[in-house]
Structures are given as structure tokens and as C-alpha cells.
Amino acid sequence: MTSPYPILSILGILIVGLSIAALLIWVERRLLALWQDRYGPNRVGPFGLLQVLADTIKIFMKEDWIPPFVDKPIFVVAPAIVFVTVLMSFAVIPVAPGIIVSDLNVGLLFFLAMSSLGVYSVVLAGWSSNNKYALLGGLRASAQMLSYEVFMGLSLMGVVLLAGSFSLPAIVEAQKKMWFVIPQFLGFVLFLIAGFAETRRIPFDLPESESELVAGYHSEYSGMKFGMFFVGEYMGVTLISAMISVLFFGGWLGPILPGVVWFLIKTFFFISFFVLVRAALPRPRFDQLMSWGWKVMLPLTLANLLVTGAVVLFWR
Amino acid sequence: MFSILRTIWYVFLHSFRKRITVQYPDQKPYLAPRYRGRIILSRDPDGGERCVACNLCAVACPVGCIALQATEDENGRRYPEFFRINFSRCIFCGYCEEACPTYAIQLTPDFEIGEFHRKNLVYEKEDLLIDGQGKYPGYNFWRIAGVKIGGKDKGEAAHEDAPVDVHTLLP
Ligand code: SF4
Ligand code: SF4
């Protein structure tokens, strides 16, 4: 079911993905403001929409400073990794029937692999910065992402069991009768929490917690290199939201409206949820984060997997 | 766990609250009459300068941003030859107003005095002096004080009796 015009899909998803990531800066600020009884950026252009443009111009004009004490090649490569890995993951996301860059039969595994690679960016950035705060941020990031990746993968296996396939379009097709969020509600909650940890968003933003670690792993970055981390983070939010809507909420499936619109609506809903959680929740302590991950989430995920497996086994 | 969900719900309910931001340049905030903003020098009801160049405000100023030079006119009235406030240093504490014995120096609710060049923030006497009486109408220092100036002899001030001629009291 790969698209007849792969170049068009690639370009479309690249452009739309990037512009959504850029727009998210505005969306997030406006939504945060809404939930804090403020207005947010509303001066530049209609509803402050041109703020995105202004920010982009500003960040390109900034001095791109490489401190003399850093490990230069790694320092330069690190921000690119996060960007590339997230963009690669977008390749397997089915936006609508036929609009997908590459319909891999192991699409889900590819997504998990790419999001695991993303951790290198953070660790390398923290390491090469030669700065104790950055290193602490990198350390936290590696511990956090490794432990949350374990049950992130496992929480999706319930979906795979139900759909009987690793291919994302096949998973969407399998939700024709019922969205997987109903039989896999626990899996959905677990994946959502893991998604927060994967994208390093509040409440799991310990690697960059600005109140304790300056800015964590990107303390030393400036200009467009910092912008890459930023865009990477927003692309990550978009990616996780898109994955949630594909895996649990039936992707492009929906009445009346065309598939793309349904997909975008669902994705935007979860992006807003990410922002809402940021507005509402404080950040836990690091030991709480780790013990929560290993002692609560992992057993829950395994139980979910076992029960789903048993049900599927006896059903068929 | 429940409290986390409740928090998220409560924050979501804020979508329907009124926003409390004052859209400043379009919508001016209400400032109390005693707000401490741009400083002015006022005049007495007769139109004369209230300031008697006593230097108390300059002494009270914690950042030392007031400079003035006292002089006298032909009537013997003291007034400042120049009076300079450097608003780039002023912290709008209002101590000068507290210290002033004649209600001459007053702070007003105007705070929009931004400039592109620092030296434009140095206000001279002609920038500070206004035509009105400011916050304290009807007060005239020279009409109350017992000092003698041209046009007002000793004993002619308000609430004052003419001085007693001690020679007439001799037995
Ligand atoms: S308001 Fe305070 S700082 Fe400003 S001139 Fe008066 S005494 Fe000085
Ligand atoms: S403004 Fe008031 S305190 Fe300052 S010199 Fe004049 S009379 Fe004295």
C-alpha cells in the first residue's frame, strides 16, 4: 500500500511535519497561556501567528557559539542526531491510506529503534559539552530513557497481539471494528506515560530541568544548534501524538471527514494534552522517576501483556 | 494518582476562565493618584514656584539623582537656579516628596518616560515645572511661613499676628 508517488509523500510529510513543529512553539505558548489565564503571544500578526516567523528569524541571527572547551565534532553532531532520528520515525507513520513514506512490515519496531537512537543525541550532547550540569543532564537522560523505553516497547505489544502485525497501516486497518484504546486501555496509559518520558517533556523533563541543572544537556548550546534540540523536542511530541492516534485511536478511521483530517484532529488532540499536562504537573524527584518506572510501570506492562496474550490465545 | 488527574482537570477548567492580563498599550491600567511615577515641580496658587531650594529632597534621595542650585530673586524669595533630576537613576521611591517642606516636588501617575538615549532622561527645571498645583491645591508656603520677603512683611502671614513693638511695652 505504499504511495504511488513516494517523493510527493516524502516532501509532504517533511514539510508538514516541520511546519507543525515550528507552529507548535506558538500553539504551546498560547495553550499554556490559556490555562494560566493569560494571553500568550498575540501581537505579531493575526493571533500572534507570525511569532513563529519572528522566533525563527531571531534564532537564525543568533551567534552560533561553540565554547572552546567542548569536544567539537561530537558537540556539532549531537543536535543533528535527535532531529534525524525523529524525522526518520515519521517515515513509517500512515497519515491516510496511501499517504505513507515507507510501509515497512516492521514499522512499529522501526519506530521503537529510532526513538532509542534519539537518546544518543542527548547523551553525546551532555558528554561533549564538558560541563558538569550538561553531563548530569545527559546521565539522567540516559537512565530515564533506557528504563522507560523498556516498557514503552512492551506496552505496544498488546496492540501487536491484537492486530497480528507490526505494520502500522495494518494496525490501523485492524481497528475498523473497535479502536484499540478500549481493549488496550492500560496499554494506552502506559504508552502515554512512556511517551512523556521519551520526549523529555514535563513532568519527565529531568534531563533539562532548568531549576536544578541550568538547561541540562543543552546548557552550552546556542543559536540554531539549540534550535535543533527544540525542534527535535516538538517533532517528538508530534510523533508520539501521531503514534498514539495511529495505535490506539484508529489513525485515519472516522466518519464523514477525509482520513487526513481525522488523523490531524486526533494528533492535535494529543498534542494539546501534552501541553495541558505541562501546565498542570510538577516534576518528580529522580529516584521517584526511576522507581516508578521499574517498580510500577514495568510490572503493569508485563501483566497487561500476559493478560492480552492469554485472551487472544483462548479467543482464537 | 487521583490527585494528578484532578489537577489536570482543574487546570483544564481554566480554559473557561476570564483572562486577567491587562493588554497594556491598548488598555491602560488604573493607577492610583498617589502612584509614584514621573516627578514634577508644582506652583503655588499665585503662580509662583513652590520650591524654595532647601536641598532636602537632594539629601533624602537615596541614589543622589537630584541636583539643584539655590538663588534668590529681588524680593528675597529663594528659588532654584537650576533643578535637575536624572530619571535614569531615579528609583521612584518617593522620598523626595516626603522630604519636601513645601509640597513642591511631587510624583505623578505617569510612568511612560522611556527614551532611546540615556541623556534624554535628564530632566531640567523647565521640563519638571508645571503650571498647576498638583496634588495639594491651595497650599502656599510663603503665605504661611513667617519669613519676610518683598511684598510681605513680618506678621503678615496667615494665622500670624503683627509683631509686638517691645519699646511700647516699656514702663
Ligand atoms: S523618587 Fe527617590 S530616587 Fe527618585 S528623585 Fe525622589 S528621592 Fe530620588
Ligand atoms: S523641591 Fe522641595 S525639598 Fe527639594 S529643594 Fe525644593 S523645596 Fe526643598
Side-chain angles (χ1 to χ4, degrees), chain A residues 28 31-38 196 201-205 271-284, chain B residues 1-15:
Chain A
E28 168 155 46
L31 284 180
L32 266 185
L34 173 70
W35 287 317
Q36 294 169 350
D37 296 343
R38 301 182 286 119
F196 276 107
R201 295 272 306 180
I202 286 176
F204 296 127
D205 70 333
I271 291 173
S272 315
F273 186 70
F274 266 81
V275 180
L276 175 60
V277 169
R278 174 176 173 185
L281 295 186
R283 166 191 318 135
Chain B
M1 188 63 210
F2 171 71
S3 74
I4 291 179
L5 294 179
R6 194 183 50 183
T7 312
I8 296 179
W9 174 245
Y10 280 171
V11 172
F12 176 73
L13 287 184
H14 273 261
S15 329

Side-chain angles (χ1 to χ4, degrees), chain B residues 41 50-58 68 83 96 99-102 104-105:
Chain B
L41 287 175
R50 268 179 178 162
C51 177
V52 294
C54 67
N55 270 309
L56 283 176
C57 53
L68 68 145
F83 197 109
C96 46
C100 182
T102 65
I105 194 164

Side-chain angles (χ1 to χ4, degrees), chain A residues 35 37-39 42-43, chain B residues 11 14-15 19-20 23 26:
Chain A
W35 287 317
D37 296 343
R38 301 182 286 119
Y39 281 97
N42 61 350
R43 292 277 147 188
Chain B
V11 172
H14 273 261
S15 329
R19 312 196 196 212
I20 54 173
Q23 299 267 49
D26 308 334

Side-chain angles (χ1 to χ4, degrees), chain A residues 209-221:
Chain A
S209 47
E210 64 269 13
S211 42
E212 342 164 0
L213 291 184
V214 192
Y217 58 90
H218 54 53
S219 305
E220 297 294 343
Y221 283 89

Side-chain angles (χ1 to χ4, degrees), chain B:
Chain B
M1 188 63 210
F2 171 71
S3 74
I4 291 179
L5 294 179
R6 194 183 50 183
T7 312
I8 296 179
W9 174 245
Y10 280 171
V11 172
F12 176 73
L13 287 184
H14 273 261
S15 329
F16 309 109
R17 294 267 188 90
K18 205 172 152 302
R19 312 196 196 212
I20 54 173
T21 312
V22 178
Q23 299 267 49
Y24 159 59
D26 308 334
Q27 184 190 345
K28 301 284 183 195
Y30 169 73
L31 297 178
R34 299 207 295 180
Y35 187 88
R36 301 199 304 267
R38 181 171 57 88
I39 299 174
I40 49 110
L41 287 175
S42 56
R43 288 176 188 274
D44 60 28
D46 305 332
E49 282 174 42
R50 268 179 178 162
C51 177
V52 294
C54 67
N55 270 309
L56 283 176
C57 53
V59 173
C61 182
V63 293
C65 67
I66 303 181
L68 68 145
Q69 167 76 57
T71 184
E72 267 182 26
D73 65 5
E74 63 280 7
N75 287 328
R77 264 177 80 135
R78 282 167 61 94
Y79 72 96
E81 192 178 341
F82 68 82
F83 197 109
R84 191 175 293 140
I85 297 184
N86 183 349
F87 279 113
S88 70
R89 293 211 155 194
C90 178
I91 55 174
F92 301 99
C93 60
Y95 286 3
C96 46
E97 182 171 356
E98 298 275 336
C100 182
T102 65
Y103 292 149
I105 194 164
Q106 294 177 11
L107 280 78
T108 60
D110 172 23
F111 59 92
E112 294 165 322
I113 52 175
E115 292 280 358
F116 284 105
H117 297 290
R118 235 161 233 278
K119 65 175 199 287
N120 293 348
L121 280 169
V122 178
Y123 279 38
E124 295 295 338
K125 187 167 144 189
E126 54 269 27
D127 308 318
L128 295 167
L129 203 60
I130 61 165
D131 282 337
Q133 307 173 39
K135 282 177 277 189
Y136 305 97
Y139 179 83
N140 190 334
F141 173 76
W142 294 107
R143 294 272 147 249
I144 292 172
V147 208
K148 169 184 164 192
I149 53 167
K152 187 203 87 173
D153 211 345
K154 273 218 179 300
E156 288 176 12
H159 325 301
E160 208 181 25
D161 298 330
V164 178
D165 183 357
V166 284
H167 298 287
T168 64
L169 291 177
L170 282 178

